[in-house]
Structure formats: C-alpha cells, structure tokens
Amino acid sequence: MADRTAPSAIDDILAEYHGLESQLADPALHNDAGAARRVGKRFAELAPVMTTYRKLETAKDDLAAARELADDDASFAAEVPGLEAQVEELEAALADLLAPRDPHDGDDVVLEVKSGEGGEESALFAADLARMYTRYAERHGWKVETLDVTYSDLGGFKEATLSIKSRDAARDGVWSRFKFEGGVHRVQRVPVTESQGRIHTSAAGVLIYPEPDEVEQVQIDESDLRIDVYRSSGKGGQGVNTTDSAVRITHLPSGIVVTCQNERSQLQNKARAMQVLAARLQSLAEEQADAEAAAGRASQIRTVDRSERIRTYNFPENRIADHRIGFKAHNLDAVLDGDMDALLDALGKADREARMAAE
C-alpha cells in the first residue's frame, strides 16, 4: 500500500501550522487586527489538513500494532483489513487536501449579474439567477448584501451587484463554491411577455470576483479615480431617497466603473464601491500576471450571447445542464430555489480531479 502523501508537502504544512499557532499565542499579534485576522484565517484553513493528518497517523499506529500482535491473537488479525482500508481512505483524503488549491478558496466574493440577449426576458432571468445565489447563500448561513441594482421595466435586473460573505472561510469559503459560476447562463422558457406560448431562448451573464479582506491590500491611486454622486433610484426609476447618496466610481486607467446605491449614506456607498473596485482590480492584476488565469477568467463572459453558454436552464423539461462537465439534472425548480449543492459538488470534483491529474 503506497503512501499517497508527499512527505515534503505535509512537512511544510506542519511547520507552517505550528508557526501560525505560535503567532496566535503571541499577544503582540493582536495589536494589529488585520494581521491577526489573516493569521487566524490561514490557521483555520490548515485545520482540516491537520485533523486528517492526525487521524492518519493514529490509524497507521493502530495498524502497525495490530499486525505485530496478529500472530498471537486472532482478534488483532481480524482488525487488520479494516485498519488497512481506513489508512488508505485517510491517505486519499489527505492527498486531496494537499493538492494544489486556489489561493482564493477561503475568500468572500463580489457577484455581478447582467442581462444580455433577450431583452426583458433576459433581465427577468438575471433576477432569477440573483435570487438563486441568494437562496443558496441563505441555506449556508452566508451574508448577502445587494450593493447595486438597475431594474428593468418589469422588475427584472439589467445589472445587479451582490456581496456574499461566509461566516467560516476555512469550512465553506464562498469563492470555493461560486468560482465556477462565471460565464453565460442560457434559459429556455415561455416568457411572461409571450402571448402565443412559444418557448424563447435568452441569456444572462455572471461575473465573480474574490473580495480582498481589506481595500488597502490593493494599490489604488486616488488621482486615478473619478467619483460621481447621484440620487438613488428603485424599480421603474422611483426615488429611493431624496439625497445624492448613490456613488459611481470610474477607475480611469482600466475603465472599470462601479456603482453602489443601497447604503443609507454617500460615505457608506463610497466605501462599498471601493471594496468592489478593489476586488475587480485585484482580479484584473492577477489576469495580467498569469496568462492562464487571464484566459480562464476572460472566458467568463466575452459577450452575453446565447452561444457562449456554460449552462442551460430548460423550464419545459425542468432540466439544468452544465456544458463544461456534462452534468444534467431534472430538478431545475429546486436549483433555482437554492438547492445547488449537487451541481457545485460535481464542478468541484471535476476541478479536484483535474488538479490532481496535473501533479
């Protein structure tokens, strides 16, 4: 039975874990809230690795003892096959945990939904997608903030920006689950605007950005920003308040435009808009630094066109199909209500298998 774990990899993790443990025990660390948060987050991320490693070491010790005593005691001989299976299972689990991982897996996200080809129906579908992600987040106890929405005439979303934050990044980082959602989503159904009952096809786009813990992590020159304020609006252009509290920030070098209008004050909207801008600039910097990442993220949405799809939502057949991994299920109604775990698990499994195959 071959040991699937690389000794150098686990040795590095052990050294890092014990180093972080020492840092957390040092009162001086907690004088810097940001540093303490980063160390605590990384310590929590390594906890599953340490737990699995310790279980494996215990199982190996038990197996060695059972083999040693098996010749003299039949009861120990009977335990050997079960312990061998347990060691093999734990080795596989540890190998998976040690496989190369996305450094953003524990991060919160900024999620943008945009209507595309299909007019009003596309905007209504974009709103359905935003609700799907919100319901999934609620099932997992995550916090969802709507930062900005531009409504269509029928109450759909021309554009919407959500901030989704996890309570336990080590266990269920939002990016680790939602990072596969970026791309064009196609819907096939009878629109509410269709009087003849004909099935139409339209599309909406989703963009996902890992959100930095702190805006200061991303270098932003204030002189590169144009900041405009305006009056917040709701569905159909209805005024939300009577002050110019909504904020639009344009990053002049990149052309990125971020708006936020859902907070109560102009200062709050500016702060949240800066967080979204930092997330988008961080993603852009990583794309430029890594050609592979650039190709992957650029493909999230080249154009919100029906042909550039990653997934199809077929209402007449109650079917959802992810075209990247060949996933199909006939529970579209449940998925749109936030029951996405089977779909996201399948995407995560395919990603892990690809990473392990590339080692």
Side-chain angles (χ1 to χ4, degrees), residues 151-153 234-238:
Y151 292 98
S152 68
D153 292 339
K235 296 180 181 179
Q238 178 182 355

Side-chain angles (χ1 to χ4, degrees), residues 134-356:
T134 299
R135 292 301 300 271
Y136 181 83
E138 290 170 348
R139 287 169 179 251
H140 287 262
W142 298 345
K143 180 181 178 183
V144 180
E145 285 184 86
T146 301
L147 304 181
D148 188 60
V149 178
T150 303
Y151 292 98
S152 68
D153 292 339
L154 295 181
F157 291 174
K158 293 182 179 178
E159 294 187 14
T161 304
L162 309 178
S163 168
I164 306 178
K165 297 181 180 293
S166 168
R167 299 182 188 279
D168 183 358
R171 182 174 61 85
D172 54 6
V174 184
W175 176 260
S176 70
R177 298 300 277 168
F178 277 176
K179 63 183 176 182
F180 308 109
E181 293 304 294
V184 175
H185 298 240
R186 184 177 70 168
V187 62
Q188 295 171 326
R189 65 183 177 188
V190 179
V192 295
T193 55
E194 170 58 56
S195 60
Q196 303 298 319
R198 292 173 296 187
I199 296 173
H200 287 227
T201 299
S202 61
V206 176
L207 283 166
I208 307 282
Y209 307 99
E211 186 168 0
D213 288 336
E214 300 169 6
V215 173
E216 290 74 17
Q217 289 179 232
V218 180
Q219 295 297 317
I220 301 176
D221 189 336
E222 289 282 340
S223 65
D224 289 336
L225 305 179
R226 184 177 73 235
I227 300 176
D228 302 303
V229 296
Y230 57 98
R231 187 160 300 175
S232 300
S233 62
K235 296 180 181 179
Q238 178 182 355
V240 171
N241 56 45
T242 57
T243 61
D244 291 335
S245 62
V247 173
R248 179 188 301 108
I249 298 179
T250 304
H251 185 253
L252 299 174
S254 66
I256 292 173
V257 179
V258 175
T259 60
C260 187
Q261 64 173 334
N262 281 40
E263 302 292 348
R264 292 184 177 274
S265 74
Q266 184 183 124
L267 285 175
Q268 289 173 315
N269 279 321
K270 180 183 177 183
R272 293 303 283 133
M274 286 295 291
Q275 286 181 293
V276 175
L277 177 61
R280 294 185 64 176
L281 287 173
Q282 174 181 261
S283 181
L284 180 62
E286 290 172 357
E287 290 171 5
Q288 293 172 339
D290 188 330
E292 183 177 343
R297 291 216 179 116
S299 69
Q300 285 193 24
I301 302 179
R302 289 191 287 273
T303 58
V304 184
D305 178 272
R306 291 177 301 201
S307 62
E308 298 283 352
R309 66 191 187 279
I310 63 166
R311 190 177 299 149
T312 296
Y313 303 72
N314 185 298
F315 276 70
E317 299 178 12
N318 197 34
R319 172 173 53 84
I320 185 166
D322 193 287
H323 307 292
R324 296 164 295 181
I325 59 172
F327 177 93
K328 289 184 181 180
H330 290 271
N331 65 335
L332 175 57
D333 52 347
V335 171
L336 287 173
D337 196 42
D339 185 7
M340 299 179 67
D341 276 323
L343 169 62
L344 298 181
D345 286 345
L347 287 162
K349 180 182 178 182
D351 179 61
R352 285 193 301 276
E353 290 174 350
R355 284 187 286 102
M356 294 181 75

